[in-house]
Amino acid sequence: MSGAVLVAVDEDADVLRDVERELRERYARHYRVLCLKSAHEALARLEDLAAAGEEVALVLSGQWLSGMTGSELLDRLRRLHPHAKRGLVIAWGEWGDRATGEAIFDSIARGQIDHYVLRPSASPDELFHQAISGLLLEWTEARQTSPYTIYIVGESWSGRAYELRQVLGRCAIPHSFFLADSTEGRARLAKAGQGVKLPIVVFPDGTVLTDPTDAEIALASGSPVNPERMEFDLVIVGAGPAGLSAAMYGASEGFSTLVIDEGGLGGQATSSSLIRNYLGFPRGVSGRRLAQQAYDQAWVFGAKFAFMQRVTDLQRADDELFVTLSDGTRVRSRAVLLATGATYHRLGVPALEALSGAGVYYGGPASEAPAMSGRDVYVLGGGNSAGQAALYLARYARSVTLVVRAQSLGAGMSHYLTREAEATPGLRIRLSTEIVGGGGDGWLERLVLRDRRTGTDETVDADGLFIMIGARPHTDWLPPEVDRDERGFVRTGTDLAEGTWPIERDPLLLETSMPGVFAAGDARHGSVKRVASAVGEGSVAIQLLHQLFAVNALHPRGRPQEPASAIGP
Ligand SMILES: Cc1cc2nc3c(=O)[nH]c(=O)nc-3n(C[C@H](O)[C@H](O)[C@H](O)COP(=O)(O)OP(=O)(O)OC[C@H]3O[C@@H](n4cnc5c(N)ncnc54)[C@H](O)[C@@H]3O)c2cc1C
């Protein structure tokens, strides 16, 4: 018996017995199993474990306990054992009970629990174990000890060691950092040999690279850097959600497909620790996991990839398209999809960046607003989108504070929104103010606001922060023939500016002003800035590619030609 602790709490002896049986029989070899009959006993033991520096990996609790609810108990756990996963145990069908259903909805939305787990039935209950092993995998990821983690050892947290961590993050690769003079750092350096130049990167297969280039990191982790061929049906620029979706559908539907990305996988989505509003993932999914799985799915269908390559030019000649890569390679294609995304202007406060998805959000509040019911929420930004977000949140939150850097609202917001914001009860506006700090234990708890006129700081309680300080599309490199709006977003289909479409047929829905070139996801004018909509647009682009090929009497290179004599069913 060794390792971290798994805790189960329930006042119902039968439930506790079932949970204990399944936990002990499956996990006792690697974890210590602790079963407790009351919330107060559990809290006392969890405090003792924290004081003794012992790791708790998972706490499962029933909801209806004396003295406090299970979700309150699990919420308090966050401060004691921030990495521990928290599951509410319910009986089969109990989600239909109104009080339990609301408790689940509320506590997930408020980040008090990770998810609910069904009480085990006949042993072995693989459904129960699937939930438990999923939670334990997330726990190892949070502690940066998941299988196949890459280790960086460096002299300091900053400089090249920081850049390497950024590269691995952009490649959606699990990684961890150790200082060279720490116990773990020394152990890894000893394996790398004497006098090695720092920083080093240690790969799961034992390969050690000293101060590698970005391309060397990609290659060592099995990610291609150069396109395998020079001719494709479809070249996709950008391996974010839109590009990966188009790659999966394109390759699966017989188009020879190449995806090029200047970084690694997943685009902006990799900076989200928990995407809760993507269909099919009721417990939420980390951007990194989603990107890895999408890449895998596209790859098994035959899509090709070239990472760490920036696309620097796009030209059209004689109905063919030519894409130039940063190393000078020129790839020919029949169609191109621009899925280059946009960069949200970041707040630049590390403690708040770390809470992204846990009370701190970039972009609109649509899916998070109900969770803000009865809470104190801040919206940062002075534009129309920030004004709309604040008004929407005011329907749910106890208080909404719109934080604006400028001295007046009129500078960036339409008049009608300004008036509505000023007249909405519970909505306060703080002008000449910026957010310079904040934090919380696993969830946003406080913000530091600075008055720009006086320079004074004030710390306020906050449960939610929505950052809406604009986005910049990655489209500056495009030639002038690709029509863009005043902020640089690529116009497509019916949105194209008059006179920009150069040929006789009408442009297709997501087609840009350069025939055969499509745009999808955040880089597109009018797009909804969401993972699901980027994925949807990526799939629609492939449907349009079929139409383009039909119009131009082309046949996908990746699909075998049907024999002319084939007889239909
Ligand atoms: C912190 C954060 C949290 C978020 N949370 C959520 C959430 O919970 N739910 C949700 O629905 N949405 C969320 N979003 C928004 C979501 O991530 C984006 O809407 C989505 O990633 C857009 O996908 P995309 O494929 O269009 O672009 P991106 O994800 O931006 O990907 C574009 C890719 O193109 C590459 N690229 C750009 N230019 C070039 C070039 N010239 N050559 C080669 N490659 C290039 C980039 O390296 C990048 O990998 C979040 C965004 C952020 C920043």
Side-chain angles (χ1 to χ4, degrees), residues 451-487:
D451 186 320
R452 301 182 73 219
R453 290 160 298 198
T454 59
T456 48
D457 289 351
E458 182 191 353
T459 301
V460 292
D461 291 340
D463 305 299
L465 170 64
F466 293 83
I467 301 165
M468 313 202 61
I469 46 180
R472 187 184 59 80
H474 301 138
T475 56
D476 337 346
W477 60 277
L478 287 168
E481 296 95 295
V482 179
D483 179 35
R484 278 153 282 171
D485 68 15
E486 60 290 345
R487 291 188 297 148

Side-chain angles (χ1 to χ4, degrees), residues 238 240-242 261-262 267-268 277 311 339-341 477 521-522 529-531:
D261 198 292
E262 63 178 320
Q268 297 164 65
N277 58 352
V311 173
T340 52
W477 60 277
D522 280 14
K529 308 287 183 286
R530 282 276 164 262
V531 172

Side-chain angles (χ1 to χ4, degrees), residues 237-243 260-269 271-272 274-277 309-312 339-342 344 346 356 362 368 474 477 520-523 528-532 534:
V237 191
I260 305 166
D261 198 292
E262 63 178 320
L265 268 186
Q268 297 164 65
S271 50
S272 181
L274 192 68
I275 298 171
R276 287 193 43 222
N277 58 352
Q309 293 270 19
R310 185 172 157 72
V311 173
T312 55
T340 52
Y344 283 89
R346 308 298 290 233
S356 176
Y362 282 89
E368 305 297 334
H474 301 138
W477 60 277
D522 280 14
V528 177
K529 308 287 183 286
R530 282 276 164 262
V531 172

Side-chain angles (χ1 to χ4, degrees), residues 36-160:
L36 303 161
K37 293 191 194 100
S38 80
H40 290 292
E41 194 187 350
L43 212 50
R45 292 297 292 274
L46 288 164
E47 276 166 6
D48 290 348
L49 289 167
E54 292 207 49
E55 282 268 13
V56 173
L58 170 72
V59 180
L60 298 175
S61 173
Q63 171 69 349
W64 307 117
L65 308 172
S66 325
M68 75 181 79
T69 61
S71 33
E72 280 163 0
L73 169 69
L74 295 173
D75 190 32
R76 289 170 77 163
L77 172 73
R78 215 167 48 196
R79 285 166 186 77
L80 296 169
H81 299 277
H83 294 314
K85 293 285 145 191
R86 294 153 296 148
L88 209 55
V89 178
I90 64 163
W92 187 89
E94 208 185 339
W95 53 81
D97 167 62
R98 200 184 163 137
T100 307
E102 274 174 14
I104 293 171
F105 169 78
D106 235 45
S107 38
I108 292 180
R110 290 165 187 246
Q112 293 174 319
I113 67 170
D114 291 297
H115 210 60
Y116 68 90
V117 175
L118 287 188
R119 168 188 176 171
S121 63
S123 190
D125 181 335
E126 296 304 343
L127 194 63
F128 176 79
H129 291 301
Q130 187 188 37
I132 300 303
S133 57
L135 288 165
L136 291 176
L137 177 61
E138 286 168 21
W139 171 71
T140 59
E141 283 173 351
R143 293 176 64 245
Q144 301 183 318
T145 55
S146 58
Y148 305 116
T149 293
I150 290 178
Y151 296 98
I152 304 166
V153 183
E155 268 161 330
S156 75
W157 285 88
S158 55
R160 184 66 188 147

Side-chain angles (χ1 to χ4, degrees), residues 19-29 33-35:
V19 174
E20 180 169 11
R21 180 197 67 221
E22 291 301 300
L23 289 181
R24 283 199 196 287
E25 285 178 7
R26 190 65 64 96
Y27 304 99
R29 189 147 175 251
V33 178
L34 200 59
C35 294

